[in-house]
Amino acid sequence: MGIYLDNAATSFPKPIQVSEAVYNFMVNIGATSGRGAYEKAMESDRLVYETRKSIASLFKQDDLKKVIFTSNVTESLNLAIKGILKKGNHVITSSLEHNAVWRSLKTLERDIGISISKVPCDEYGYTNPDDVEKYIKENTALIIFTHASNVIGTIQPIREIGFIARRYKIPFLVDAAQTAGVYPIDVKKDNIDLLAFTGHKSLLGPMGTGGLIVNLDKDISPLKSGGTGGDSSYEYQPNYFPNRLETGTPNVGGIVGLLEAIKFIQETGIDTILNKEKEVLSYALKRLEEVEDISIYGPKDIEKIVSVITFNLKDKSAEEVAYELDQNYDIMIRAGLHCAPSAHNVIGTQKIGTARIGIGYFNEKEDIDLLVDALKKINNQN
Ligand SMILES: Cc1ncc(COP(=O)(O)O)c(C=O)c1O
């Protein structure tokens, strides 16, 4: 099966229960949710409801109706950003955003004239929360931060930033793509108004799943219009949640898989998962130093990063390294800008990109040993 070290892109493998649940749904249930009154449709409704409940419990959200299913965090972020920002609004964001945020903002800047402030950070990606306050203006309508960088792993002080946002009554949107499932997140304690997450990374669920937790009383314009399974003669999108923001037949097969994935996380314990990842991360940071002419970017403190390590070798491009690892050693990593060019501006790799490993719960120290041996051999070929 090879050594999979690209968990920051998507987690693999998934707990076996996830695939079994998807298979069982496809083979034995298969009916749509929210649109039928026969038994199988009601079973489908129940499974979607159970998943909503388990997501709400994971992120400590009280109102189940405000757990919105989407197809991934990109859709969740687009929904929040485009549903809130209006012409003339100002938005504050971090220097480490993924294109899911950055392109959405740039598009609104070009098309409807919003303005954007990017809060600077140091070379390790650390943002001083007080700096966020300096950028607040009369027309600031949204503050958006990624919880952790997908390039250098840096975890942002979201609770502190959320606290500032609350003081100014500005909605605070967090991109939890790299943390949901592996870091405890409490929308209330962490002062998060909108939490965007994806199901297929550390939540260990299938691709095509994700969501938005809405923890504020403010209208969010729907991104899409269409069928919701009820009030069909009303000619507009309903005003009540979740139907206001959930349109079209949901990905019930994926949602059912996500339910099993969250059960696995809760049974295993988020702390156990995090500690295991940190153990392998710490080992990897130490062992990678043995590779000659390696530059590792970002913080090297396992308390300050998620389990992502970004690096370059002196005499090989990131793409060559990833290609050789795959072709000659059956080790899978990612190379390039990782859809987050802003973060590369911070570490000075915007022209060359980086090689990135993403450690997951199912990785072992032996995977790192094989990676380090392979990198040493790749180096020696020069
Ligand atoms: C920080 C961050 N935001 C957004 C995304 C987009 O995730 P998805 O493709 O699941 O929408 C990713 C995925 O790489 C990410 O790491």
Side-chain angles (χ1 to χ4, degrees):
M1 169 179 130
I3 307 295
Y4 185 78
L5 281 167
D6 195 17
N7 288 280
T10 196
S11 55
F12 183 78
K14 312 288 183 189
I16 192 67
Q17 306 87 299
V18 173
S19 326
E20 284 168 356
V22 176
Y23 181 81
N24 180 50
F25 175 80
M26 302 295 282
V27 172
N28 296 316
I29 306 171
T32 187
S33 159
R35 286 150 172 82
Y38 47 92
E39 274 189 26
K40 279 193 193 293
M42 280 169 23
E43 176 59 4
S44 197
D45 283 349
R46 189 191 66 76
L47 289 164
V48 171
Y49 173 77
E50 286 301 324
T51 315
R52 226 184 275 282
K53 216 163 81 179
S54 76
I55 291 169
S57 136
L58 188 67
F59 300 125
K60 312 286 186 271
Q61 160 77 345
D62 295 330
D63 188 352
L64 288 195
K65 295 190 297 302
K66 290 191 168 175
V67 173
I68 311 299
F69 285 113
T70 63
S71 53
N72 48 44
V73 71
T74 301
E75 187 186 342
S76 313
L77 289 162
N78 271 266
L79 172 58
I81 290 170
K82 294 175 182 161
I84 287 190
L85 291 176
K86 307 273 180 304
K87 185 175 169 37
N89 283 168
H90 169 245
V91 60
I92 298 173
T93 193
S94 85
S95 292
L96 298 171
E97 295 305 308
H98 187 277
N99 274 339
V101 168
W102 191 241
R103 283 184 174 163
S104 302
L105 293 181
K106 289 301 284 181
T107 304
L108 291 185
E109 182 188 49
R110 183 193 63 197
D111 296 349
I112 66 163
I114 64 156
S115 56
I116 310 168
S117 295
K118 216 191 232 192
V119 183
C121 60
D122 68 14
E123 65 186 290
Y124 297 105
Y126 297 132
T127 309
N128 179 349
D130 293 340
D131 285 346
V132 175
E133 193 165 0
K134 293 183 196 150
Y135 288 89
I136 294 178
K137 300 188 202 172
E138 199 70 348
N139 61 339
T140 306
L142 191 60
I143 299 177
I144 313 172
F145 263 74
T146 186
H147 193 178
S149 164
N150 64 316
V151 177
I152 48 177
T154 316
I155 300 170
Q156 298 294 336
I158 51 158
R159 188 173 291 188
E160 292 78 359
I161 297 168
F163 184 73
I164 294 166
R166 284 273 154 92
R167 268 194 9 242
Y168 287 85
K169 298 193 169 43
I170 301 166
F172 181 42
L173 166 63
V174 172
D175 173 358
Q178 292 295 333
T179 51
V182 71
Y183 275 79
I185 299 175
D186 179 324
V187 288
K188 285 197 237 66
K189 285 194 187 142
D190 291 327
N191 302 314
I192 300 171
D193 296 311
L194 295 150
L195 180 77
F197 63 91
T198 212
H200 67 100
K201 296 188 196 256
S202 292
L203 278 172
L204 306 175
M207 293 177 193
T209 60
L212 181 71
I213 307 278
V214 180
N215 182 34
L216 87 166
D217 286 323
K218 185 176 169 58
D219 185 40
I220 301 174
S221 312
L223 203 55
K224 302 179 264 185
S225 306
T228 55
D231 296 309
S232 298
S233 60
Y234 184 63
E235 291 181 300
Y236 301 94
Q237 211 55 22
N239 285 323
Y240 51 86
F241 289 93
N243 304 46
R244 178 155 182 74
L245 303 180
E246 273 180 14
T247 302
T249 300
N251 173 13
V252 185
I255 289 171
V256 165
L258 184 58
L259 176 61
E260 283 309 310
I262 296 173
K263 274 190 204 158
F264 172 86
I265 290 170
Q266 285 179 322
E267 278 159 20
T268 310
I270 219 164
D271 289 346
T272 307
I273 293 176
L274 181 59
N275 289 336
K276 162 82 187 300
E277 285 196 10
K278 276 187 180 167
E279 207 182 305
V280 181
L281 175 67
S282 159
Y283 184 74
L285 282 166
K286 204 166 88 231
R287 285 234 50 209
L288 281 169
E289 292 290 353
E290 290 172 23
V291 179
E292 239 174 82
D293 292 330
I294 192 169
S295 303
I296 300 176
Y297 306 92
K300 296 189 184 73
D301 177 346
I302 59 161
E303 300 306 327
K304 296 194 167 140
I305 51 172
V306 289
S307 35
V308 162
I309 304 176
T310 272
F311 65 92
N312 273 318
L313 298 186
K314 188 162 154 250
D315 296 318
K316 295 251 175 195
S317 70
E319 285 75 12
E320 280 174 308
V321 173
Y323 180 77
E324 286 193 33
L325 284 173
D326 178 41
Q327 295 295 306
N328 301 332
Y329 303 94
D330 210 3
I331 298 176
M332 292 155 264
I333 69 159
R334 183 158 170 195
L337 294 179
H338 321 295
C339 301
S342 304
H344 288 272
N345 291 333
V346 170
I347 56 173
T349 51
Q350 59 275 34
K351 295 236 163 64
I352 55 173
T354 55
R356 178 188 76 179
I357 66 164
I359 293 162
Y361 178 62
F362 296 107
N363 283 121
E364 302 295 341
K365 287 181 183 165
E366 290 72 39
D367 299 338
I368 304 302
D369 291 336
L370 291 168
L371 171 73
V372 169
D373 288 349
L375 288 173
K376 285 179 181 171
K377 286 186 188 133
I378 290 172
N379 249 347
N380 286 338
Q381 287 160 15
N382 293 319

